[in-house]
Amino acid sequence: MHKQWSDVNALYQIYPRSFQDSNADGVGDLRGAIARLPYLKGEPDSLGVDAIWFSPFFTSPMADFGYDVSDYCNIHPLFGTLEDFKELLDKAHERDIKVMIDFVPNHSSNEHPWFLESKSSKDNLKRDYYVWADPKPDGSPPNNWLSIFGGSAWEWNEQTGQYYLHTFLKEQPDLNWDNPAVRQEMQAVVRFWLDLGVDGLRADAVRWISKDVHRRDDPRNPAFNAGPQADEFGSLLHVHSRFGPNLFKYLRDLTDIVAAYDDRIMIFEDYPDDIFTTRDQYLGFYGVNPKVSMPFNFEGIGIPFGAENYRRFITEFQGMLNPSEHTPVYCFGNHDQQRLASRVGEEQARVVALMQMGLPGLPVVYYGDEIGMKNGLIKPSEIQDPVELRKPGLGQGRDPERTPMQWDDSVFAGFSTARPWLPIAHGAEKRNVAHESKDNDSYLTLYQDLLQLRTDYTIFQKGDYETFGEADANVYVFSRRLGEEHIFVVLNMSGKRRKFTLPHGGRLLAATHPSRIVAIAKDGKVKLRPYEAAIFECAKHPLREVL
Ligand code: ISL
């Protein structure tokens, strides 16, 4: 019996360049990922994760490391072939691992054949596949829209005397979703991968696929301190350049395709926005097609570590959802964000892991976070990310969180026999899979324990969420309930010892330091060490194991 998405314990994100190299070119690839499937699931010492998501591995000139796709239905030779992917899919499915791929609908590469045609002349049949506009009378761009990466979002095309729009790099021209032919092309891409057997798609940067058709200027952001960085993305309120009137309709059409297949899903990439309330934003995305699609919740990435902060955002978010319909997708790290352990601290990262795995829905774990990987230190000569190369020294680059997976203590950490495309992060001699597998108190052991719990008991995916006790600056407690079953997640988010009293005694199910016992008294009294967290089963309402 294969698991359904609703039973999946977690989704594990693989950045394919950095997971495992199989052909000694210093870049990870699909055959490398195949070789590492036993690490993921099915062996006694596996991590034990039910689903994986690959960042893009499609044909691409790699201006944005694969988020600039030049053939949506093929694999970049660096990563392998379509045959390799099919083998990966089969072998993952043999282990009952679901496979999700990335889908980049907002823009293609400027080397995609569609764009090559589109830019060739104003009357080319593919001209309207992209967003073209005349200059203003003085020759300047059609409006003030800005690229996420800074500067105007418009690039001049000399040959045809018009500008084209690029929300990201100029090598990533925005597709014109208001053109029905583009929508059909992209729907065909979704069908292609679903027919091949992938279990899901993560849809990149979706909020930009619909824009103001009148191309009105975005208003200035009054909160922004104008200065030398006047063309910074934050200087405008992006009310017209994204979240256009047809966004949810276009997503509905796409997800209707997903819904026509058995047990497939689409996860939307969306960050909290300063324009809409979080409620409107989330419920908008959940409203698209709740049975098969849902947005990530990235709020935990931006919010400083702390009991009040997490309690507030999680409780508010849970309160918005209809538990029988909406699947929360809590995410505390990805390939665009500083590493969790570097952002919140090493001990604190364990608390976040336990909290995340104690929450409902489908949690997402970024590769390497399960061994506590930290940001890599990237020397100027080693910079790869175009964002960093554009404005070096501002620390906006994403290389630090994309360094190779640390498998063992060998010179290239077991990732490759050749020098990797990014350096191995410091500390890899201890912080690696081989070492942590032998340590009963490691991050890896903690993640294995937590994933095992989510495998054994569906209360984690499906139980109700409730905060417990008074709001407290140091300790955040929530409970989960499913029928007669009841558990408590108790999180000491302070650097001091803390006491807390639960309504009953119970059994310890997991703790941030797997080798340490967190005692719970018969009357429910719990004592926690600094940054210690634990999950307890309530003595009076025990759990039923999944058979
Ligand atoms: O990272 C962000 C906020 O911290 C976002 O603004 C992010 O850039 C945006 O949500 C889109 O990201 C995605 O599309 C980009 C690509 O560079 C990122 O790696 C990808 O996750 C363009 O395709």
Side-chain angles (χ1 to χ4, degrees):
M1 245 305 262
H2 287 292
K3 280 199 173 181
Q4 297 281 300
W5 270 111
S6 56
D7 295 319
V8 160
N9 57 9
L11 172 64
Y12 181 84
Q13 181 188 356
I14 292 177
Y15 195 68
R17 294 182 77 85
S18 301
F19 196 56
Q20 180 64 55
D21 176 16
S22 74
N23 61 350
D25 62 358
V27 175
D29 46 52
L30 296 180
R31 300 217 69 81
I34 293 173
R36 291 298 184 181
L37 289 174
Y39 166 71
L40 295 171
K41 190 173 170 182
E43 310 301 322
D45 57 352
S46 297
L47 173 62
V49 76
D50 291 333
I52 51 181
W53 146 40
F54 286 90
S55 284
F57 42 52
F58 314 105
T59 316
S60 162
M62 297 284 168
D64 190 18
F65 292 110
Y67 281 97
D68 49 323
V69 181
S70 55
D71 182 349
Y72 283 96
C73 298
N74 217 333
I75 310 282
H76 192 296
L78 254 180
F79 298 122
T81 63
L82 211 46
E83 288 311 308
D84 293 331
F85 180 71
K86 287 182 194 158
E87 187 178 327
L88 170 63
L89 200 54
D90 285 347
K91 293 203 162 140
H93 285 167
E94 278 166 25
R95 290 176 183 271
D96 202 12
I97 300 174
K98 292 193 184 292
V99 178
M100 176 175 279
I101 60 162
D102 222 296
F103 173 57
V104 190
N106 179 66
H107 43 268
S108 74
S109 158
N110 61 339
E111 291 183 26
H112 195 293
W114 297 336
F115 190 70
L116 297 180
E117 282 199 48
S118 183
K119 72 170 195 182
S120 67
S121 80
K122 269 172 138 171
D123 52 16
N124 185 280
L125 287 176
K126 298 249 175 346
R127 184 66 170 181
D128 285 340
Y129 268 42
Y130 294 86
V131 182
W132 292 95
D134 289 330
K136 283 191 178 157
D138 67 356
S140 63
N143 66 22
N144 70 349
W145 292 359
L146 292 175
S147 154
I148 280 266
F149 298 142
S152 172
W154 296 95
E155 181 71 12
W156 175 245
N157 174 258
E158 188 63 49
Q159 192 180 336
T160 59
Q162 280 192 313
Y163 284 91
Y164 68 85
L165 183 70
H166 60 92
T167 298
F168 294 87
L169 300 173
K170 66 176 176 5
E171 293 83 0
Q172 295 168 296
D174 282 36
L175 284 155
N176 175 16
W177 274 72
D178 294 328
N179 177 352
V182 168
R183 299 204 295 277
Q184 277 164 21
E185 297 268 18
M186 298 312 271
Q187 288 165 8
V189 172
V190 169
R191 279 197 198 88
F192 171 84
W193 290 102
L194 292 175
D195 284 341
L196 209 74
V198 305
D199 302 286
L201 300 105
R202 171 265 189 193
D204 181 74
V206 285
R207 57 188 148 160
W208 282 277
I209 65 174
S210 173
K211 294 140 176 129
D212 177 34
V213 284
H214 308 296
R215 313 273 181 250
R216 280 170 289 189
D217 275 354
D218 277 333
R220 299 217 71 78
N221 178 0
F224 185 78
N225 235 339
Q229 303 167 354
D231 67 347
E232 277 294 299
F233 194 66
S235 65
L236 299 181
L237 294 173
H238 305 272
V239 287
H240 297 310
S241 50
R242 62 187 184 191
F243 278 114
N246 293 316
L247 171 59
F248 295 130
K249 181 194 171 306
Y250 295 159
L251 293 179
R252 172 74 201 214
D253 292 346
L254 273 182
T255 52
D256 277 347
I257 297 171
V258 177
Y261 293 74
D262 184 34
D263 199 35
R264 315 290 173 95
I265 62 169
M266 179 176 276
I267 303 183
F268 304 127
E269 191 216 21
D270 180 53
Y271 280 85
D273 203 281
D274 44 8
I275 294 153
F276 301 94
T277 64
T278 24
R279 188 187 170 82
D280 284 352
Q281 212 168 327
Y282 283 126
L283 294 186
F285 282 106
Y286 276 110
V288 168
N289 225 332
K291 282 203 173 56
V292 296
S293 61
M294 56 290 289
F296 285 110
N297 183 315
F298 288 141
E299 277 174 273
I301 291 177
I303 289 177
F305 177 90
E308 299 267 25
N309 289 344
Y310 291 148
R311 178 206 302 265
R312 194 176 318 116
F313 102 78
I314 291 167
T315 308
E316 263 176 29
F317 179 62
Q318 286 301 136
M320 291 172 203
L321 304 183
N322 172 352
S324 63
E325 237 193 358
H326 301 148
T327 304
V329 186
Y330 289 104
C331 191
F332 291 86
N334 64 34
H335 63 293
D336 294 330
Q337 307 296 337
Q338 305 276 302
R339 280 274 174 196
L340 175 65
S342 297
R343 229 171 43 229
V344 301
E346 289 185 34
E347 284 304 300
Q348 293 89 328
R350 290 178 182 250
V351 182
V352 172
L354 189 136
M355 173 178 80
Q356 184 191 21
M357 294 299 148
L359 286 168
L362 178 63
V364 188
V365 178
Y366 184 49
Y367 86 93
D369 280 355
E370 81 278 23
I371 53 168
M373 266 176 72
K374 300 188 81 176
N375 285 343
L377 295 175
I378 313 294
K379 295 189 196 121
S381 61
E382 295 167 335
I383 298 172
Q384 299 283 341
D385 184 14
V387 173
E388 185 66 31
L389 288 170
R390 218 186 133 101
K391 290 186 177 164
L394 291 183
Q396 292 171 343
R398 300 163 296 179
D399 293 328
E401 59 265 28
R402 298 176 177 179
T403 59
M405 179 64 178
Q406 295 157 201
W407 298 102
D408 60 35
D409 62 2
S410 63
V411 56
F412 298 130
F415 164 74
S416 176
T417 52
R419 180 165 297 282
W421 74 289
L422 279 175
I424 304 294
H426 289 283
E429 54 297 337
K430 287 247 170 79
R431 209 172 284 128
N432 64 64
V433 171
H435 187 268
E436 294 196 21
S437 308
K438 289 186 237 122
D439 174 0
N440 288 336
D441 208 31
S442 64
Y443 275 89
L444 184 56
T445 309
L446 171 63
Y447 272 90
Q448 285 168 328
D449 285 2
L450 294 168
L451 289 166
Q452 188 63 49
L453 276 181
R454 292 185 79 92
T455 302
D456 292 343
Y457 306 112
T458 51
I459 188 173
F460 286 97
Q461 286 88 331
K462 296 176 184 160
D464 290 344
Y465 163 93
E466 255 173 34
T467 41
F468 183 81
E470 299 289 310
D472 181 314
N474 304 300
V475 183
Y476 166 33
V477 183
F478 60 87
S479 78
R480 307 290 314 281
R481 207 186 278 271
L482 184 68
E484 288 298 300
E485 303 170 52
H486 201 182
I487 58 172
F488 289 96
V489 181
V490 187
L491 308 141
N492 180 6
M493 298 196 166
S494 78
K496 300 200 176 116
R497 289 176 176 267
R498 295 279 148 193
K499 287 188 197 140
F500 198 86
T501 306
L502 297 173
H504 307 289
R507 177 169 68 108
L508 177 68
L509 296 175
T512 33
H513 281 273
S515 67
R516 280 192 209 154
I517 297 295
V518 182
I520 177 165
K522 279 214 175 73
D523 63 357
K525 275 209 183 67
V526 181
K527 283 188 198 160
L528 295 165
R529 299 173 187 90
Y531 300 121
E532 188 165 58
I535 305 180
F536 298 100
E537 169 194 54
C538 172
K540 300 220 165 137
H541 306 94
L543 301 182
R544 272 167 306 160
E545 216 160 305
V546 181
L547 295 176

mmCIF file with all atom_site columns, all heavy atoms in Angstrom, residues 109-121:
data_model
loop_
_atom_site.group_PDB
_atom_site.id
_atom_site.type_symbol
_atom_site.label_atom_id
_atom_site.label_alt_id
_atom_site.label_comp_id
_atom_site.label_asym_id
_atom_site.label_entity_id
_atom_site.label_seq_id
_atom_site.pdbx_PDB_ins_code
_atom_site.Cartn_x
_atom_site.Cartn_y
_atom_site.Cartn_z
_atom_site.occupancy
_atom_site.B_iso_or_equiv
_atom_site.pdbx_formal_charge
_atom_site.auth_seq_id
_atom_site.auth_comp_id
_atom_site.auth_asym_id
_atom_site.auth_atom_id
_atom_site.pdbx_PDB_model_num
ATOM 1   N N   . SER A 1 109 ? 13.838 30.976 -19.562 1.00 0.00 ? 109 SER A N   1
ATOM 2   C CA  . SER A 1 109 ? 15.171 31.521 -19.859 1.00 0.00 ? 109 SER A CA  1
ATOM 3   C C   . SER A 1 109 ? 15.068 32.406 -21.094 1.00 0.00 ? 109 SER A C   1
ATOM 4   O O   . SER A 1 109 ? 14.181 32.217 -21.938 1.00 0.00 ? 109 SER A O   1
ATOM 5   C CB  . SER A 1 109 ? 16.117 30.353 -20.141 1.00 0.00 ? 109 SER A CB  1
ATOM 6   O OG  . SER A 1 109 ? 17.216 30.811 -20.896 1.00 0.00 ? 109 SER A OG  1
ATOM 7   N N   . ASN A 1 110 ? 15.988 33.359 -21.209 1.00 0.00 ? 110 ASN A N   1
ATOM 8   C CA  . ASN A 1 110 ? 16.026 34.153 -22.443 1.00 0.00 ? 110 ASN A CA  1
ATOM 9   C C   . ASN A 1 110 ? 16.559 33.316 -23.605 1.00 0.00 ? 110 ASN A C   1
ATOM 10  O O   . ASN A 1 110 ? 16.553 33.755 -24.741 1.00 0.00 ? 110 ASN A O   1
ATOM 11  C CB  . ASN A 1 110 ? 16.860 35.428 -22.268 1.00 0.00 ? 110 ASN A CB  1
ATOM 12  C CG  . ASN A 1 110 ? 18.305 35.132 -21.903 1.00 0.00 ? 110 ASN A CG  1
ATOM 13  O OD1 . ASN A 1 110 ? 18.621 34.047 -21.408 1.00 0.00 ? 110 ASN A OD1 1
ATOM 14  N ND2 . ASN A 1 110 ? 19.189 36.081 -22.138 1.00 0.00 ? 110 ASN A ND2 1
ATOM 15  N N   . GLU A 1 111 ? 17.000 32.081 -23.302 1.00 0.00 ? 111 GLU A N   1
ATOM 16  C CA  . GLU A 1 111 ? 17.432 31.197 -24.392 1.00 0.00 ? 111 GLU A CA  1
ATOM 17  C C   . GLU A 1 111 ? 16.372 30.155 -24.739 1.00 0.00 ? 111 GLU A C   1
ATOM 18  O O   . GLU A 1 111 ? 16.624 29.243 -25.527 1.00 0.00 ? 111 GLU A O   1
ATOM 19  C CB  . GLU A 1 111 ? 18.766 30.528 -24.030 1.00 0.00 ? 111 GLU A CB  1
ATOM 20  C CG  . GLU A 1 111 ? 19.892 31.550 -24.014 1.00 0.00 ? 111 GLU A CG  1
ATOM 21  C CD  . GLU A 1 111 ? 21.261 30.957 -23.727 1.00 0.00 ? 111 GLU A CD  1
ATOM 22  O OE1 . GLU A 1 111 ? 21.469 29.758 -24.011 1.00 0.00 ? 111 GLU A OE1 1
ATOM 23  O OE2 . GLU A 1 111 ? 22.101 31.697 -23.190 1.00 0.00 ? 111 GLU A OE2 1
ATOM 24  N N   . HIS A 1 112 ? 15.216 30.258 -24.104 1.00 0.00 ? 112 HIS A N   1
ATOM 25  C CA  . HIS A 1 112 ? 14.127 29.355 -24.497 1.00 0.00 ? 112 HIS A CA  1
ATOM 26  C C   . HIS A 1 112 ? 13.758 29.662 -25.955 1.00 0.00 ? 112 HIS A C   1
ATOM 27  O O   . HIS A 1 112 ? 13.685 30.849 -26.340 1.00 0.00 ? 112 HIS A O   1
ATOM 28  C CB  . HIS A 1 112 ? 12.915 29.576 -23.584 1.00 0.00 ? 112 HIS A CB  1
ATOM 29  C CG  . HIS A 1 112 ? 11.908 28.472 -23.684 1.00 0.00 ? 112 HIS A CG  1
ATOM 30  N ND1 . HIS A 1 112 ? 11.175 28.244 -24.829 1.00 0.00 ? 112 HIS A ND1 1
ATOM 31  C CD2 . HIS A 1 112 ? 11.537 27.512 -22.807 1.00 0.00 ? 112 HIS A CD2 1
ATOM 32  C CE1 . HIS A 1 112 ? 10.398 27.195 -24.644 1.00 0.00 ? 112 HIS A CE1 1
ATOM 33  N NE2 . HIS A 1 112 ? 10.601 26.730 -23.414 1.00 0.00 ? 112 HIS A NE2 1
ATOM 34  N N   . PRO A 1 113 ? 13.497 28.620 -26.789 1.00 0.00 ? 113 PRO A N   1
ATOM 35  C CA  . PRO A 1 113 ? 13.130 28.886 -28.182 1.00 0.00 ? 113 PRO A CA  1
ATOM 36  C C   . PRO A 1 113 ? 11.966 29.869 -28.326 1.00 0.00 ? 113 PRO A C   1
ATOM 37  O O   . PRO A 1 113 ? 11.930 30.651 -29.269 1.00 0.00 ? 113 PRO A O   1
ATOM 38  C CB  . PRO A 1 113 ? 12.742 27.504 -28.726 1.00 0.00 ? 113 PRO A CB  1
ATOM 39  C CG  . PRO A 1 113 ? 13.408 26.531 -27.826 1.00 0.00 ? 113 PRO A CG  1
ATOM 40  C CD  . PRO A 1 113 ? 13.595 27.201 -26.493 1.00 0.00 ? 113 PRO A CD  1
ATOM 41  N N   . TRP A 1 114 ? 11.029 29.850 -27.368 1.00 0.00 ? 114 TRP A N   1
ATOM 42  C CA  . TRP A 1 114 ? 9.913  30.807 -27.440 1.00 0.00 ? 114 TRP A CA  1
ATOM 43  C C   . TRP A 1 114 ? 10.451 32.243 -27.401 1.00 0.00 ? 114 TRP A C   1
ATOM 44  O O   . TRP A 1 114 ? 9.982  33.100 -28.128 1.00 0.00 ? 114 TRP A O   1
ATOM 45  C CB  . TRP A 1 114 ? 8.952  30.648 -26.248 1.00 0.00 ? 114 TRP A CB  1
ATOM 46  C CG  . TRP A 1 114 ? 8.257  29.330 -26.143 1.00 0.00 ? 114 TRP A CG  1
ATOM 47  C CD1 . TRP A 1 114 ? 7.995  28.441 -27.153 1.00 0.00 ? 114 TRP A CD1 1
ATOM 48  C CD2 . TRP A 1 114 ? 7.705  28.762 -24.951 1.00 0.00 ? 114 TRP A CD2 1
ATOM 49  N NE1 . TRP A 1 114 ? 7.325  27.362 -26.649 1.00 0.00 ? 114 TRP A NE1 1
ATOM 50  C CE2 . TRP A 1 114 ? 7.126  27.529 -25.310 1.00 0.00 ? 114 TRP A CE2 1
ATOM 51  C CE3 . TRP A 1 114 ? 7.642  29.178 -23.615 1.00 0.00 ? 114 TRP A CE3 1
ATOM 52  C CZ2 . TRP A 1 114 ? 6.500  26.701 -24.375 1.00 0.00 ? 114 TRP A CZ2 1
ATOM 53  C CZ3 . TRP A 1 114 ? 7.013  28.361 -22.687 1.00 0.00 ? 114 TRP A CZ3 1
ATOM 54  C CH2 . TRP A 1 114 ? 6.447  27.120 -23.071 1.00 0.00 ? 114 TRP A CH2 1
ATOM 55  N N   . PHE A 1 115 ? 11.392 32.483 -26.512 1.00 0.00 ? 115 PHE A N   1
ATOM 56  C CA  . PHE A 1 115 ? 11.881 33.859 -26.390 1.00 0.00 ? 115 PHE A CA  1
ATOM 57  C C   . PHE A 1 115 ? 12.744 34.237 -27.597 1.00 0.00 ? 115 PHE A C   1
ATOM 58  O O   . PHE A 1 115 ? 12.693 35.383 -28.058 1.00 0.00 ? 115 PHE A O   1
ATOM 59  C CB  . PHE A 1 115 ? 12.661 34.063 -25.085 1.00 0.00 ? 115 PHE A CB  1
ATOM 60  C CG  . PHE A 1 115 ? 12.957 35.521 -24.823 1.00 0.00 ? 115 PHE A CG  1
ATOM 61  C CD1 . PHE A 1 115 ? 11.932 36.400 -24.487 1.00 0.00 ? 115 PHE A CD1 1
ATOM 62  C CD2 . PHE A 1 115 ? 14.246 36.033 -24.960 1.00 0.00 ? 115 PHE A CD2 1
ATOM 63  C CE1 . PHE A 1 115 ? 12.182 37.756 -24.278 1.00 0.00 ? 115 PHE A CE1 1
ATOM 64  C CE2 . PHE A 1 115 ? 14.503 37.387 -24.758 1.00 0.00 ? 115 PHE A CE2 1
ATOM 65  C CZ  . PHE A 1 115 ? 13.468 38.252 -24.408 1.00 0.00 ? 115 PHE A CZ  1
ATOM 66  N N   . LEU A 1 116 ? 13.519 33.278 -28.084 1.00 0.00 ? 116 LEU A N   1
ATOM 67  C CA  . LEU A 1 116 ? 14.347 33.581 -29.261 1.00 0.00 ? 116 LEU A CA  1
ATOM 68  C C   . LEU A 1 116 ? 13.445 34.025 -30.413 1.00 0.00 ? 116 LEU A C   1
ATOM 69  O O   . LEU A 1 116 ? 13.741 34.990 -31.112 1.00 0.00 ? 116 LEU A O   1
ATOM 70  C CB  . LEU A 1 116 ? 15.188 32.362 -29.666 1.00 0.00 ? 116 LEU A CB  1
ATOM 71  C CG  . LEU A 1 116 ? 16.222 31.904 -28.621 1.00 0.00 ? 116 LEU A CG  1
ATOM 72  C CD1 . LEU A 1 116 ? 17.001 30.695 -29.130 1.00 0.00 ? 116 LEU A CD1 1
ATOM 73  C CD2 . LEU A 1 116 ? 17.168 33.055 -28.236 1.00 0.00 ? 116 LEU A CD2 1
ATOM 74  N N   . GLU A 1 117 ? 12.322 33.329 -30.558 1.00 0.00 ? 117 GLU A N   1
ATOM 75  C CA  . GLU A 1 117 ? 11.370 33.740 -31.596 1.00 0.00 ? 117 GLU A CA  1
ATOM 76  C C   . GLU A 1 117 ? 10.731 35.073 -31.249 1.00 0.00 ? 117 GLU A C   1
ATOM 77  O O   . GLU A 1 117 ? 10.646 35.973 -32.071 1.00 0.00 ? 117 GLU A O   1
ATOM 78  C CB  . GLU A 1 117 ? 10.263 32.684 -31.733 1.00 0.00 ? 117 GLU A CB  1
ATOM 79  C CG  . GLU A 1 117 ? 10.689 31.450 -32.516 1.00 0.00 ? 117 GLU A CG  1
ATOM 80  C CD  . GLU A 1 117 ? 9.457  30.691 -33.004 1.00 0.00 ? 117 GLU A CD  1
ATOM 81  O OE1 . GLU A 1 117 ? 8.549  31.326 -33.558 1.00 0.00 ? 117 GLU A OE1 1
ATOM 82  O OE2 . GLU A 1 117 ? 9.431  29.462 -32.780 1.00 0.00 ? 117 GLU A OE2 1
ATOM 83  N N   . SER A 1 118 ? 10.294 35.164 -30.018 1.00 0.00 ? 118 SER A N   1
ATOM 84  C CA  . SER A 1 118 ? 9.552  36.344 -29.576 1.00 0.00 ? 118 SER A CA  1
ATOM 85  C C   . SER A 1 118 ? 10.348 37.630 -29.789 1.00 0.00 ? 118 SER A C   1
ATOM 86  O O   . SER A 1 118 ? 9.794  38.665 -30.178 1.00 0.00 ? 118 SER A O   1
ATOM 87  C CB  . SER A 1 118 ? 9.191  36.193 -28.105 1.00 0.00 ? 118 SER A CB  1
ATOM 88  O OG  . SER A 1 118 ? 8.428  37.258 -27.658 1.00 0.00 ? 118 SER A OG  1
ATOM 89  N N   . LYS A 1 119 ? 11.639 37.571 -29.535 1.00 0.00 ? 119 LYS A N   1
ATOM 90  C CA  . LYS A 1 119 ? 12.425 38.803 -29.627 1.00 0.00 ? 119 LYS A CA  1
ATOM 91  C C   . LYS A 1 119 ? 12.886 39.077 -31.068 1.00 0.00 ? 119 LYS A C   1
ATOM 92  O O   . LYS A 1 119 ? 13.477 40.125 -31.333 1.00 0.00 ? 119 LYS A O   1
ATOM 93  C CB  . LYS A 1 119 ? 13.636 38.734 -28.686 1.00 0.00 ? 119 LYS A CB  1
ATOM 94  C CG  . LYS A 1 119 ? 14.737 37.801 -29.119 1.00 0.00 ? 119 LYS A CG  1
ATOM 95  C CD  . LYS A 1 119 ? 15.973 37.991 -28.243 1.00 0.00 ? 119 LYS A CD  1
ATOM 96  C CE  . LYS A 1 119 ? 17.172 37.329 -28.893 1.00 0.00 ? 119 LYS A CE  1
ATOM 97  N NZ  . LYS A 1 119 ? 18.391 37.415 -28.134 1.00 0.00 ? 119 LYS A NZ  1
ATOM 98  N N   . SER A 1 120 ? 12.598 38.121 -31.979 1.00 0.00 ? 120 SER A N   1
ATOM 99  C CA  . SER A 1 120 ? 13.142 38.267 -33.333 1.00 0.00 ? 120 SER A CA  1
ATOM 100 C C   . SER A 1 120 ? 12.416 39.353 -34.141 1.00 0.00 ? 120 SER A C   1
ATOM 101 O O   . SER A 1 120 ? 13.019 40.027 -34.942 1.00 0.00 ? 120 SER A O   1
ATOM 102 C CB  . SER A 1 120 ? 13.120 36.927 -34.076 1.00 0.00 ? 120 SER A CB  1
ATOM 103 O OG  . SER A 1 120 ? 11.777 36.551 -34.313 1.00 0.00 ? 120 SER A OG  1
ATOM 104 N N   . SER A 1 121 ? 11.128 39.514 -33.917 1.00 0.00 ? 121 SER A N   1
ATOM 105 C CA  . SER A 1 121 ? 10.434 40.608 -34.607 1.00 0.00 ? 121 SER A CA  1
ATOM 106 C C   . SER A 1 121 ? 9.088  40.854 -33.936 1.00 0.00 ? 121 SER A C   1
ATOM 107 O O   . SER A 1 121 ? 8.539  39.976 -33.266 1.00 0.00 ? 121 SER A O   1
ATOM 108 C CB  . SER A 1 121 ? 10.216 40.277 -36.086 1.00 0.00 ? 121 SER A CB  1
ATOM 109 O OG  . SER A 1 121 ? 9.101  39.423 -36.208 1.00 0.00 ? 121 SER A OG  1
#
